[in-house]
Amino acid sequence: MSRKPILHYFNGRGRMECIRWLLAAAGVEFEEKLIEKPEDLNKLKNDGSLLFQQVPMVEIDGMNLVQTRAILNYIATKYNLYGKDIKERALIDMYSEGVADLGEMIMLLPLCPAAEKDAKVTFIREKTTNRFLPAFENVLKSHGQDYLVGNKLSRADIHLVELLYYVEELDPSLLANFPLLKALKARVSNLPAVKKFLQPGSQRKPPTDERQIEARKIFKF
């Protein structure tokens, strides 16, 4: 029996949350070893587990995988969430990168200085409604299928739905003019594995708060 993947990160979303989402959507149970103090991170560095001296890191199939995209690519390939051929993979990568661009803005928002926060939120709202969400809505509209690529669930759909939850946390009204995206969110959210992950008590992490911002300081050591 294969061992469950073990995720090494702090107790927050950060760059691990998309990995948690992808594993959960694939129906894969995983364990977490939370980094709670500098010594926890230093131990991983000193025992050679972190190739580039940084997390996230996932122990899976006898490997210590680092770098978020590499981890996501491996999981998506292993669990058949990466398209049927090179063209579908190119589309999945393209859409996933678009998700990552907007997701990065939202992820870093809690770290924004208070004096700059209103301007940053306005900027993110504008990019959300005028650039990113229209692009994904148009993809779904162009082929009329249930999922972004090949009419089959892929990592791109999972990443996008995760992002849509964050957009709603920022401002629920931002999704109002995107019916196909709302339908995709409902469709993916009702898949049994995802539905389970969305329930209270799962390994899904809550929005970043002051405590988690303090925890991030560990990574400066």
Side-chain angles (χ1 to χ4, degrees):
M1 184 175 178
S2 62
R3 185 180 174 192
K4 292 179 183 178
I6 300 175
L7 281 52
H8 296 264
Y9 205 62
F10 71 95
N11 189 22
R13 289 177 177 174
R15 300 189 186 280
M16 186 66 90
E17 191 69 357
C18 57
I19 297 168
R20 297 183 185 106
W21 266 83
L22 192 59
L23 284 169
V28 179
E29 294 184 359
F30 58 87
E31 298 175 6
E32 296 191 86
K33 289 190 176 178
L34 299 176
I35 297 172
E36 297 175 327
K37 54 187 183 299
E39 292 77 13
D40 296 335
L41 184 59
N42 287 334
K43 183 178 184 302
L44 290 172
K45 290 180 178 180
N46 293 335
D47 69 15
S49 296
L50 304 179
L51 181 62
F52 301 113
Q53 304 291 297
Q54 61 191 19
V55 289
M57 188 269 279
V58 175
E59 295 181 51
I60 185 170
D61 295 340
M63 299 181 289
N64 292 338
L65 285 182
V66 296
Q67 299 297 105
T68 302
R69 287 180 179 84
I71 296 166
L72 293 170
N73 289 346
Y74 184 81
I75 294 167
T77 302
K78 180 179 174 71
Y79 295 105
N80 197 26
L81 293 166
Y82 215 169
K84 70 178 187 297
D85 56 33
I86 191 171
K87 288 186 177 180
E88 286 196 353
R89 285 188 66 158
L91 292 174
I92 289 167
D93 284 341
M94 183 169 66
Y95 301 151
S96 297
E97 290 298 312
V99 167
D101 285 349
L102 179 56
E104 182 91 355
M105 296 181 207
I106 295 174
M107 181 181 70
L108 296 177
L109 184 60
L111 304 177
C112 182
E116 302 171 16
K117 198 155 194 174
D118 287 347
K120 180 65 77 173
V121 169
T122 298
F123 176 82
I124 293 173
R125 283 195 179 111
E126 191 274 329
K127 296 300 181 188
T128 298
T129 54
N130 294 330
R131 177 184 293 184
F132 291 100
L133 295 194
F136 291 119
E137 183 83 2
N138 287 337
V139 170
L140 292 169
K141 187 176 181 180
S142 70
H143 55 52
Q145 297 175 338
D146 285 346
Y147 297 107
L148 288 168
V149 179
N151 204 27
K152 181 182 178 183
L153 181 71
S154 75
R155 59 172 287 201
D157 301 294
I158 297 160
H159 297 327
L160 178 54
V161 168
E162 178 191 357
L163 176 67
L164 295 179
Y165 275 95
Y166 301 155
V167 168
E168 282 193 326
E169 289 174 0
L170 182 67
D171 182 348
S173 71
L174 296 178
L175 284 179
N177 295 323
F178 302 99
L180 298 180
L181 291 180
K182 289 194 288 185
L184 177 69
K185 177 174 174 285
R187 186 177 302 116
V188 172
S189 297
N190 280 308
L191 296 172
V194 178
K195 192 172 185 177
K196 180 181 178 182
F197 186 62
L198 292 171
Q199 296 303 307
S202 79
Q203 290 161 296
R204 181 180 174 224
K205 305 307 179 193
T208 301
D209 57 20
E210 292 297 326
R211 178 183 56 81
Q212 291 173 11
I213 291 172
E214 285 297 312
R216 287 180 67 94
K217 292 179 181 178
I218 290 172
F219 300 95
K220 296 179 182 179
F221 282 77

